[in-house]
Amino acid sequence: MSDTDRELRVSKIRNGTVIDHLAAGQALNVLALLGIDGSGGESVSVGMNVPSDKLAKKDIVKVEDRELSQSEVDVLAVIAPEATINIVREYDVVEKKRIDRPESVDGVLSCPNRNCITNDDEPIRTRFAVLDDALRCDYCGEIVREDEVATHLDVA
Ligand code: CTP
Ligand code: ZN
């Protein structure tokens, strides 16, 4: 078996987005963060703990027929700053998107403060300011540490 064959646990896609070099364990968090649960009908392939050159082990996510926007990519920066985003068209990687740290994360995290107005019955869209190693609720000031982000995903 060649090295390439050995690497290809998840087959190449024709069109869509490949989220590569995720830290092992982040694939499902990334899907949750992007609101991808299969209900949209897209084909999604997930590789977990796949051997990698750059990392000892990595996760990889391939979403077919969907090109992530820059704002979707930005939100990933909070939990996956090391990831590589590849846009694929007709089997070729046509673009590698940079991951920028966003200034805020809107509508994807729930506030852990039960008294926060965003946890009332009113439909208020959550909004967190992105700090150096944490996020801060715009409404109540509650801090969510970066390593806790995955456990507060609204969409999971
Ligand atoms: N890929 C895919 N389907 C395609 C083309 C690429 O699933 N039609 C995947 C590759 O398997 C790889 C990622 O997209 O995981 C990036 O592809 P490519 O840029 O060709 O690989 P590398 O040069 O190794 O990328 P990097 O430098 O980011 O490691
Ligand atoms: Zn709050």
Side-chain angles (χ1 to χ4, degrees), residues 12-20 60 62 67 84-97:
K12 298 222 169 209
I13 61 172
R14 180 169 188 169
N15 292 300
T17 305
V18 176
I19 307 166
D20 200 0
I60 185 166
K62 302 189 182 189
E67 297 188 359
T84 322
I85 315 291
N86 304 275
I87 304 296
V88 175
R89 288 186 199 147
E90 287 303 322
Y91 295 104
D92 288 334
V93 174
V94 294
E95 188 184 351
K96 287 187 184 273
K97 285 190 186 278

